[in-house]
Amino acid sequence: QMCIRDRQSTMGKTYFLIKSSMKATIDPSTGGLVFLNEEQEEEKVNLTRQQLVSTQQDSSLTDINKNYYPLPSRLSLDERYKLAMSVGIECINEKELYDLLERKTHPICYDGFEPSGRMHIAQGVFKAINVNKLVDAGCIFIFWVADWFAMLNNKMGGDLEKIRNVGRYFIEVWKAVGMKMSNVKFLWASDEIGKNPDKYWLQVMDVARKNNIPRIVRCSTIMGRKEGEDLSVAQLLYPCMQCTCLLYTSPSPRDS
């Protein structure tokens, strides 16, 4: 910090006038000094701070799996089995589940959600409780973030960027309520479909070819729509794509 004085001569006398207190910074283009007054300096500091915060936020929001680092369960096999059983209302084959947990350190669990607006308490707290039970049992929990499905269903006005922002909001809520992110992985539907589009869209066409329109319309309730509701062609695609996702994302039945 330095003071700048103007030297003025009047009637043979010299006066030094203090103009202002200023700071100097280096101009990267010339290497010379650039003097800033207090207002300019504050503006520059605020801009730098905003850019830093923005960069940190962008990095955090872009890498939605930055905390993913699968950890094995510390529980016994029987304790893992009991925890897994506590999540579901019904288990079709209990012995198969027990054998899976015995054979696999990290069985894979799946769920999907459509980023469609504000999260309700069951989605937030209850979901985190159940996911944490499965994580404690040693499972890897994969969330299918159905951004394209939300667009087909005209959520957030069909704006894909807004839909993705809502998806990130869901993830942040789950972090805040204590979901154990070490064994949780989030996959954007649009990104995963784009990795192998030939396989995915051929499967969609096969599902559509083997079902008639009345049957597809009856499935519209999965989108929160009523059977008698006037649906767009995009919304008729939704059930075909959702059925395909089960076939597209699922590994061998022995693994999950």
Side-chain angles (χ1 to χ4, degrees), residues 70-141:
L71 301 173
S73 176
R74 297 181 178 181
L75 304 177
S76 67
L77 176 59
D78 288 340
E79 288 172 327
R80 293 172 64 204
Y81 172 74
K82 185 177 179 181
L83 265 182
M85 285 291 292
S86 70
V87 171
I89 296 175
E90 178 184 5
C91 180
I92 296 173
N93 191 325
E94 295 182 13
K95 185 179 185 305
E96 190 176 79
L97 174 61
Y98 191 91
D99 291 344
L100 175 67
L101 291 169
E102 185 177 28
R103 186 176 66 254
K104 297 285 294 183
T105 303
H106 293 302
I108 299 173
C109 303
Y110 281 93
D111 195 3
F113 68 93
E114 184 184 282
S116 55
R118 291 182 180 273
M119 182 183 286
H120 55 73
I121 194 166
Q123 276 182 306
V125 178
F126 192 62
K127 176 83 72 179
I129 291 171
N130 283 336
V131 169
N132 286 350
K133 287 180 179 180
L134 292 168
V135 167
D136 288 340
C139 298
I140 288 175
F141 205 101

Side-chain angles (χ1 to χ4, degrees), residues 2-4 22-26 32-38 40-41:
M2 60 186 297
C3 290
I4 303 298
M22 308 182 75
K23 291 185 178 181
T25 185
I26 296 175
L33 292 177
V34 177
F35 295 100
L36 304 174
N37 59 35
E38 291 181 359
Q40 290 172 320
E41 178 67 19

Side-chain angles (χ1 to χ4, degrees), residues 80-227:
R80 293 172 64 204
Y81 172 74
K82 185 177 179 181
L83 265 182
M85 285 291 292
S86 70
V87 171
I89 296 175
E90 178 184 5
C91 180
I92 296 173
N93 191 325
E94 295 182 13
K95 185 179 185 305
E96 190 176 79
L97 174 61
Y98 191 91
D99 291 344
L100 175 67
L101 291 169
E102 185 177 28
R103 186 176 66 254
K104 297 285 294 183
T105 303
H106 293 302
I108 299 173
C109 303
Y110 281 93
D111 195 3
F113 68 93
E114 184 184 282
S116 55
R118 291 182 180 273
M119 182 183 286
H120 55 73
I121 194 166
Q123 276 182 306
V125 178
F126 192 62
K127 176 83 72 179
I129 291 171
N130 283 336
V131 169
N132 286 350
K133 287 180 179 180
L134 292 168
V135 167
D136 288 340
C139 298
I140 288 175
F141 205 101
I142 294 180
F143 276 103
W144 185 257
V145 190
D147 49 352
W148 272 4
F149 292 80
M151 184 173 66
L152 287 174
N153 206 8
N154 204 34
K155 296 299 174 66
M156 312 308 294
D159 187 319
L160 190 59
E161 186 54 39
K162 289 181 180 178
I163 290 167
R164 283 201 161 213
N165 283 337
V166 174
R168 297 183 188 103
Y169 149 73
F170 272 49
I171 295 170
E172 292 304 314
V173 171
W174 282 323
K175 287 180 183 177
V177 298
M179 184 179 285
K180 299 178 179 179
M181 294 295 176
S182 62
N183 289 37
V184 177
K185 190 172 188 178
F186 297 94
L187 301 177
W188 294 108
S190 55
D191 290 348
E192 295 305 305
I193 291 170
K195 290 178 181 178
N196 198 347
D198 291 349
K199 176 184 175 182
Y200 183 84
W201 292 112
L202 281 173
Q203 186 72 66
V204 170
M205 287 189 285
D206 190 53
V207 171
R209 192 170 55 86
K210 293 178 179 177
N211 291 278
N212 56 35
I213 291 179
R215 187 172 186 181
I216 295 297
V217 170
R218 285 199 300 273
C219 295
S220 62
T221 53
I222 63 174
M223 300 180 287
R225 307 290 178 178
K226 298 178 181 178
E227 284 190 40

